[in-house]
Amino acid sequence: MCEIFCFNSNTPKQVNQCLKCFYEHSEDHPHGWGLANVQSDEVFIDKEPIKATCSQHLKNILSHPVVGKNVFAHIRLATMGEIISPNCHPFTEADDNNRSWMLIHNGTIFDCPKLDKYIDKESGDTDSERILLYIIDKINEFEKDKGSLSTIKERFTLLSGIVEELSKNNKLNLMIYDGDMTYIHSNMKDSLHYLRNDDGLLIASTPVSDDENWQHVEINKLFALIDGNVIFESNPHENEFIFTPEHEKAMNEFLKSVTRDEIND
C-alpha cells in the first residue's frame, strides 16, 4: 500500500533527518512521493509520480532546511489508480466556506459504493481522493444546515462519524488537516506509530528514527492534534481491518498490471 508521515508541534522545527529516513522506504513504495509543509495559513505541496529516491526535485528540497510546525509526507505503492501526478498524495480541496483541507491515506477502499459518485469529479482516479471529496460534501452539508461555520469540536464529531462509516471492510490509515487541526486514524494493528519528544509529535507508518520510545497508535479511534497535543479523542469503533489472502490477491493483480504498463511504456 503506502506509507504516511506527520510532524505536529507548537513551534517550527527542522525535520530533514526524519524525512530522509522516511523517503528511503520508497524502495518498497516506488509509485510517487509527496510533501506538504504548512506555513501560517498556506500549505506548500510538492509531489511527483516517481520513486522518491530517484527524484532530483526532492533531493533539492531536502538539501535545504525543511522547517515547520505541521509537516506531512507520503510515499505511494499503488493499489488503485494510474502512476500519474494527480494520484500522488497529499490531496487538497476547499469547502464552500473556503477552508482548505488536505488528506493523505495509507490503505485501500475495498467496499464503499457511496464513494463511486466521485469518480467523475476527482482529478485523478484514486479511492483516496474520493474520501476527501466525500468529507468536503459532508462538511458543506453540515455548515449549510447550521447556517454558519462549524466549530473545531463539531468538525471532529462529524469526522469521527465519517471515519467509522468508511472504515468498515476498508483499511483507513488517514492524516487530515483542516487549517486548525490534524486528524489521525488507523484501523489496522501495528501499522501506525508515534513518538513524542521535546520537538513535538512524530507519527509514521514505520519509525523514522532509532529512538526506542516509538509506540503504536491506538487503532479504531480518531485523534485531533493541535500544537503537538491531542485535543480530542473519539470513542473506539469496531471496524478493525485485517489483511486477508483475498486482499493480497487483489493488490497483487493490480500491481502486476502496473508493472506491465511500466514495461510497455
Side-chain angles (χ1 to χ4, degrees):
M1 295 183 186
C2 304
E3 287 197 17
I4 56 180
F5 166 92
C6 168
F7 173 70
N8 188 269
S9 178
N10 63 349
T11 55
K13 300 290 175 63
Q14 183 172 324
V15 291
N16 290 61
Q17 192 58 45
C18 291
L19 287 173
K20 288 177 181 177
C21 179
F22 174 76
Y23 285 123
E24 285 174 0
H25 303 166
S26 66
E27 293 302 316
D28 295 321
H29 303 80
H31 299 138
W33 64 271
L35 175 65
N37 192 347
V38 180
Q39 299 288 342
S40 298
D41 294 329
E42 192 170 0
V43 181
F44 296 90
I45 293 178
D46 291 276
K47 56 184 182 178
E48 288 181 305
I50 62 174
K51 187 193 300 183
T53 52
C54 295
S55 170
Q56 185 59 49
H57 181 46
L58 181 59
K59 289 177 184 177
N60 291 340
I61 291 172
L62 297 179
S63 69
H64 300 86
V66 178
V67 179
K69 293 173 55 178
N70 295 280
V71 180
F72 302 84
H74 186 276
I75 46 178
R76 184 177 183 224
L77 178 65
T79 59
M80 184 176 297
E82 297 182 72
I83 313 303
I84 55 176
S85 185
N87 286 338
C88 294
H89 307 222
F91 300 101
T92 58
E93 188 71 26
D95 61 31
D96 286 347
N97 283 304
N98 207 33
R99 181 189 297 108
S100 292
W101 291 73
M102 184 194 68
L103 175 145
I104 58 178
H105 175 214
N106 162 221
T108 301
I109 301 296
F110 294 98
D111 177 24
C112 192
K114 66 177 56 183
L115 294 184
D116 291 347
K117 72 176 186 177
Y118 300 100
I119 291 175
D120 295 331
K121 298 179 181 180
E122 61 183 337
S123 299
D125 57 351
T126 66
D127 49 358
S128 305
E129 186 179 3
R130 288 167 219 156
I131 295 170
L132 179 58
L133 294 175
Y134 180 68
I135 290 171
I136 296 296
D137 270 0
K138 291 299 182 182
I139 289 291
N140 289 339
E141 290 173 10
F142 178 87
E143 295 187 337
K144 183 178 179 181
D145 290 342
K146 182 184 179 185
S148 63
L149 294 174
S150 55
T151 66
I152 59 173
K153 179 60 174 177
E154 287 171 336
R155 291 201 298 280
F156 178 77
T157 300
L158 183 60
L159 264 291
S160 297
I162 292 172
V163 163
E164 179 173 359
E165 174 189 27
L166 296 182
S167 61
K168 187 175 182 179
N169 301 322
N170 302 306
K171 184 184 177 186
L172 202 69
N173 285 8
L174 290 173
M175 295 176 176
I176 303 169
Y177 183 72
D178 71 357
D180 294 311
M181 298 184 292
T182 294
Y183 305 82
I184 303 293
H185 176 265
S186 172
N187 69 328
M188 182 175 176
K189 283 183 180 178
D190 304 341
S191 63
L192 198 61
H193 304 76
Y194 75 93
L195 173 67
R196 183 180 295 280
N197 57 27
D198 292 339
D199 289 334
L201 191 60
L202 287 164
I203 305 166
S205 299
T206 304
V208 291
S209 73
D210 295 329
D211 195 301
E212 297 179 352
N213 294 312
W214 282 90
Q215 300 181 54
H216 298 298
V217 172
E218 187 175 357
I219 67 168
N220 296 352
K221 284 187 175 183
L222 183 69
F223 298 90
L225 314 176
I226 295 180
D227 292 341
N229 296 306
V230 176
I231 62 165
F232 298 127
E233 176 181 334
S234 73
N235 293 323
H237 58 72
E238 298 180 351
N239 300 328
E240 178 184 352
F241 179 77
I242 298 174
F243 196 67
T244 67
E246 289 74 20
H247 294 131
E248 184 176 14
K249 180 179 179 181
M251 287 177 52
N252 287 338
E253 287 300 315
F254 179 82
L255 289 171
K256 286 178 183 177
S257 70
V258 169
T259 302
R260 286 196 297 268
D261 290 343
E262 289 175 342
I263 292 173
N264 291 335
D265 289 344

